[in-house]
Amino acid sequence: MTATPTTDSASSLAKMLHILQLFTEAEPVWSTADIIDALETSRSTGYRYIKTLHEAGLISAVRNGYYALGPRIIEMDLQMRLTDPLLLASEGVLEELVDKIGHSALLCTAFRDSVLCVGECRAPQSPANRFRRGQRRPLFQGAISKIILAYLPHHRLKAIYPRQRNEIEAAGLGSTWSEFRATLGKMKKDGYALTVGEFNPGVYGVAAPILTDQKTSVGSVGVAWDEQVRRDVDVEHAVLAVKLAATTISERLLEQQRD
């Protein structure tokens, strides 16, 4: 079957945008030749993609024939910080949460089959290597992820389960669709998720969902603390504070939509 021009255009755009995914913390700089090899495309096409992204400011030449992510991305990040509805609705809430319970607070949202941190407020002396803005985590591990998963629309869960049933079972969320739904149903009934040691031994995580008017999740608020460092933390107090923070953000989002 011959692809239509529209299909060809979409495929070309997807390949060009894939270049941006090559740049990581481990590999922040790429050569022209390596980009073209990674795309498995012709040199002329690869050069055209690179030129287009460079002119848009999405990649920047760091030396002859080598590129890194560009300044336009910094501009876009600022725009997100100033205009993103979820961030605006959370203004002051994470800080208040840290003041109440003394450990770092995170704001997250679903992104594909993962969870992305979009906001954070660090407690004093918080470890620098903890989950932070711009990082992703699996959708099936950690309180901030599991509570988002629990409140996803039914059709999304139906699509996710067959693709990742092995990961779901490995995460202890159920070995069948029925068990999976029952586990998520328990979290929904509780209104929060509590995990211990899923990423680091002895580290507790508590999270509550940020909900739409349809009671589906757009994100979550979560806190974490190390039991060895903070033996004074009252889990019940942390749960109540996190649930209040999530409710506040949810209500603010609904108010934004009504304005």
Side-chain angles (χ1 to χ4, degrees):
M1 180 182 293
T2 302
T4 65
T6 300
T7 302
D8 287 340
S9 299
S11 176
S12 295
L13 179 60
K15 273 204 166 186
M16 181 172 68
L17 292 176
H18 180 71
I19 292 174
L20 299 177
Q21 298 181 41
L22 299 176
F23 298 94
T24 63
E25 187 176 355
E27 296 182 276
V29 176
W30 282 70
S31 70
T32 300
D34 287 341
I35 291 172
I36 292 171
D37 286 345
L39 292 182
E40 298 182 347
T41 191
S42 67
R43 291 182 65 82
S44 60
T45 298
Y47 278 119
R48 186 174 74 252
Y49 291 165
I50 292 169
K51 181 175 183 291
T52 300
L53 293 177
H54 183 260
E55 289 176 347
L58 295 173
I59 60 174
S60 180
V62 294
R63 58 183 186 275
N64 189 32
Y66 287 81
Y67 293 87
L69 293 177
R72 176 60 180 143
I73 292 175
I74 300 173
E75 284 188 333
M76 294 170 72
D77 180 64
L78 176 60
Q79 184 175 338
M80 288 288 291
R81 290 175 186 270
L82 295 175
T83 63
D84 177 60
L86 193 55
L87 283 175
L88 292 177
S90 71
E91 187 173 344
V93 177
L94 300 186
E95 290 81 358
E96 184 177 350
L97 190 54
V98 173
D99 288 342
K100 278 185 178 179
I101 57 179
H103 30 269
S104 300
L106 299 174
L107 178 71
C108 300
T109 190
F111 178 50
R112 297 178 179 166
D113 285 351
S114 63
V115 168
L116 178 73
C117 179
V118 297
E120 59 184 319
C121 181
R122 293 290 169 190
Q125 301 180 335
S126 174
N129 64 343
R130 290 286 165 84
F131 193 41
R132 61 185 186 270
R133 176 177 164 85
Q135 289 186 319
R136 288 198 227 176
R137 275 191 174 170
L139 190 54
F140 314 112
Q141 283 184 278
I144 56 172
S145 297
K146 288 180 175 178
I147 199 63
I148 289 177
L149 181 69
Y151 283 84
L152 287 180
H154 182 78
H155 70 274
R156 283 199 62 186
L157 293 174
K158 287 287 284 185
I160 288 169
Y161 183 77
R163 290 200 309 267
Q164 299 191 258
R165 62 185 304 164
N166 292 336
E167 291 88 343
I168 289 167
E169 183 173 2
L173 293 171
S175 58
T176 65
W177 166 250
S178 296
E179 290 180 3
F180 179 50
R181 291 291 294 136
T183 302
L184 299 186
K186 169 77 165 53
M187 287 185 209
K188 289 182 72 172
K189 182 179 179 181
D190 293 340
Y192 70 94
L194 171 67
T195 57
V196 184
E198 293 207 0
F199 289 99
N200 297 289
V203 173
Y204 279 72
V206 174
I210 299 167
L211 301 175
T212 68
D213 58 350
Q214 301 296 314
K215 302 303 180 185
T216 59
S217 58
V218 293
S220 66
V221 176
V223 296
W225 68 93
D226 191 325
E227 183 184 30
Q228 299 302 315
V229 177
R230 294 292 309 277
R231 293 184 179 274
D232 60 323
V233 174
D234 184 315
V235 174
E236 185 175 344
H237 175 60
V239 167
L240 291 174
V242 168
K243 290 176 74 172
L244 177 60
T247 298
T248 300
I249 297 172
S250 299
E251 290 174 349
R252 288 182 181 180
L253 279 174
L254 293 177
E255 289 172 6
Q256 288 177 13
Q257 294 168 12
R258 287 194 289 264
D259 290 343

